[in-house]
Amino acid sequence: MNLFRTTLLAAAAATAVLATPMAMAQGAKLKVGLMLPYTGTFAALGVAIENGFRLYVQEQGGKLGGREIEFVKVDDESDPSKATDNVNKLVKRDNVDVIVGTVHSGVAMAMAKVAKDTGTLLIVPNAGADAVTGPMCAPNIFRSSFSNWQPGFAMGEVVAKKGHKKVVTITWKYAAGDESVKGFKEALEKGGGQVVKELSLPFPGVEFQALLTEIAAAKPDAVYTFFAGGGAVKFVKDYAAAGLKKSIPLYGAGFLTDGTLEAQGADADGLFTTLHYGDSLGTPRDSSFRLAYAKSYKLQPDVYAVQGYDAAQILGTGLAAVKGDVSKKAEFAAAVQKAKIDSPRGPFTLSKAHNPVQDIYLRQVVGKENKVVGIASKGLTDPARNCRM
Ligand code: PHB
């Protein structure tokens, strides 16, 4: 090709872009940056979130708000020290239109900071960091999952009602563990109980032995815990192996037994947990979701799959209102704010801080299922402390 022809072609291309910026913006693919853990203790959670997200997009014919979706993926390794670089790659190098992520609260806080600073749309499909819909809340930040406070608070009420007075807590020492315990403690104390000891180990450690020995020595009425993913599998097995399951009832935020039951086997049997999803809801909405998920992925869905699916629903709701033009941020936010999200968990709305207002179920492990045995807290709203927007 000669130089003259190349120049002409380039000029024609440039003119096309200049002449029809709106048409291009809406006709071009929408770039979704998936920043999730694909390695480490939360790897399976990241995969379930992506699966759920893709399932909804596929059900919509591959388009949201009239735009085809293109994915760019980053493995965040659940490593907060790499989080800012990772999210900046998506925003600055890949020029994504929206970021979807992540699982780990510490990583999510770094993502929220970048989203707030750059105005990039962020939808959090798991990480419960209270700050994301608290002090860091913003018009362009949404969450399809929960705040760490929510399942913790709901379980505090349950444990208090059961009449347990002295409780030991055990978790990973980072935002999610700390905040889950804090929510639990708030409700337990209101109900007349007391946290007598708070045990923790660094994330993602699984050396539980010394801590289990401390629990045995303290002889509390009950134990409350937050663990998830691979760490949750090991904790439940170690708790049983140490002989504690027979003597001290174990309660948890539902992540303890979600997506983990195959690996935990009988050691999880009978455990009570609180979460915004369960395996036996039996509603038409959930049943059709579960069937579609199982068909697509040859896997049973879990809470993470639901949160990924609902992240796509939130994005689809906002995009439909702005006809695919993500630059219309106020209209996008207003549409999402008014919407009732038709989630497999049951319909939910978003609070002013953009966190789900939702029922928290009480579940009990029966065989390979987190069977819903009641509603621990109806329409629970995160207090969104220090969110100004
Ligand atoms: C979190 O870090 O916020 C987190 C991680 C895994 C879960 C739930 C919360 O399952």
Side-chain angles (χ1 to χ4, degrees), residues 3 13 46 83 100 172 174 199 259 277 375 378:
L3 182 64
V100 175
W172 281 312
Y174 82 113
L199 301 173
Y277 189 58
I375 294 181
K378 182 109 197 104

XYZ file of all heavy atoms in Angstrom, residues 3 13 46 83 100 172 174 199 259 277 375 378:
96
model
N 2.011 5.296 0.370
C 1.860 6.231 1.482
C 0.605 7.094 1.320
O -0.141 7.339 2.260
C 3.114 7.112 1.570
C 3.128 8.104 2.725
C 3.124 7.345 4.059
C 4.343 9.008 2.647
N -10.906 7.586 8.210
C -11.259 6.971 9.500
C -11.440 8.046 10.561
O -12.403 8.031 11.334
C -10.177 5.985 9.918
N -14.193 -15.810 42.600
C -14.040 -14.958 41.430
C -14.670 -15.596 40.197
O -15.369 -14.931 39.417
N -3.377 -3.689 44.346
C -4.721 -3.302 43.901
C -4.734 -2.007 43.095
O -5.380 -1.925 42.045
C -5.649 -3.191 45.106
N -15.931 -4.043 37.308
C -16.701 -4.937 38.159
C -15.708 -5.696 39.035
O -14.855 -6.418 38.522
C -17.548 -5.914 37.319
C -18.251 -6.919 38.222
C -18.577 -5.148 36.487
N -10.141 -13.698 60.066
C -8.923 -13.110 59.521
C -8.853 -11.642 59.927
O -9.876 -10.941 59.941
C -8.941 -13.177 57.991
C -8.584 -14.501 57.413
C -7.517 -15.295 57.746
C -9.278 -15.189 56.361
N -7.511 -16.424 56.965
C -8.568 -16.386 56.101
C -10.413 -14.913 55.593
C -8.957 -17.300 55.118
C -10.805 -15.810 54.619
C -10.084 -17.001 54.388
N -8.486 -8.491 58.922
C -8.544 -7.465 57.858
C -9.962 -6.932 57.847
O -10.826 -7.408 58.605
C -8.085 -8.017 56.505
C -9.094 -8.799 55.688
C -9.576 -8.291 54.481
C -9.550 -10.042 56.102
C -10.479 -9.009 53.698
C -10.457 -10.766 55.328
C -10.924 -10.246 54.130
O -11.821 -10.945 53.372
N -10.444 -13.466 68.583
C -9.243 -14.109 68.055
C -9.120 -13.829 66.561
O -10.130 -13.714 65.858
C -9.312 -15.621 68.272
C -9.438 -16.088 69.723
C -9.678 -17.600 69.767
C -8.176 -15.732 70.512
N -20.579 -22.346 48.754
C -19.625 -22.767 47.725
C -18.565 -23.701 48.277
O -17.566 -23.971 47.608
N -28.650 -15.143 50.790
C -29.035 -16.155 49.805
C -29.034 -17.516 50.496
O -28.463 -17.667 51.588
C -28.036 -16.160 48.624
C -28.481 -17.037 47.465
C -29.700 -16.811 46.821
C -27.691 -18.100 47.026
C -30.114 -17.626 45.770
C -28.098 -18.905 45.967
C -29.307 -18.665 45.348
O -29.724 -19.468 44.311
N -36.101 -16.136 58.245
C -35.497 -14.844 57.918
C -34.952 -14.269 59.221
O -35.700 -14.037 60.166
C -36.530 -13.894 57.272
C -36.956 -14.478 55.910
C -35.952 -12.498 57.091
C -37.962 -13.632 55.154
N -35.347 -8.930 58.354
C -36.142 -8.566 57.166
C -35.727 -7.182 56.675
O -35.630 -6.246 57.449
C -37.618 -8.571 57.590
C -38.600 -8.273 56.525
C -39.408 -9.529 56.122
C -40.078 -9.336 54.799
N -39.453 -10.026 53.689
